Amino acid sequence: MTEETKKAEALIEELAGHFGYDAKTMPPCVGNWPREKAMEYLTRLSEVLDENRKFRVTVDYDPEFPRVLLQISYED
């Protein structure tokens, strides 16, 4: 495992814990953004979502936390 992968996994675990999730049971499509960019990036979600599939988007935002957690799960 590369150092970059370790850092990414540690960040997802930190985010999951902060927002009350278990990182091991989160959907496979998870991302995070700097809090300052969250509203801008939310307006661009349509660029990455597949409108031909049923999906759920969960956004966890805390104005006191430096990052925002995004989860996307598709139902096939």
Side-chain angles (χ1 to χ4, degrees), residues 13 23-24 32 36 39 41 43-44 54 58 60-62 64 69 73:
E13 287 197 24
K24 294 177 178 84
N32 66 89
E36 300 80 21
M39 299 307 162
Y41 291 171
T43 65
R44 297 172 28 198
K54 187 175 180 179
T58 304
D60 291 286
Y61 177 90
D62 177 349
E64 302 298 319
L69 177 64
S73 55

Side-chain angles (χ1 to χ4, degrees), residues 5-63:
T5 301
K6 287 178 187 178
K7 286 181 182 179
E9 286 182 0
L11 178 58
I12 292 298
E13 287 197 24
E14 177 185 6
L15 286 162
H18 178 79
F19 290 111
Y21 299 105
D22 178 350
K24 294 177 178 84
T25 60
M26 293 174 68
C29 190
V30 175
N32 66 89
W33 305 316
R35 183 187 61 240
E36 300 80 21
K37 296 281 189 176
M39 299 307 162
E40 173 191 342
Y41 291 171
L42 282 171
T43 65
R44 297 172 28 198
L45 269 179
S46 64
E47 297 172 17
V48 298
L49 296 173
D50 183 349
E51 66 185 58
N52 296 310
R53 295 171 64 193
K54 187 175 180 179
F55 61 84
R56 172 174 292 157
V57 175
T58 304
V59 178
D60 291 286
Y61 177 90
D62 177 349

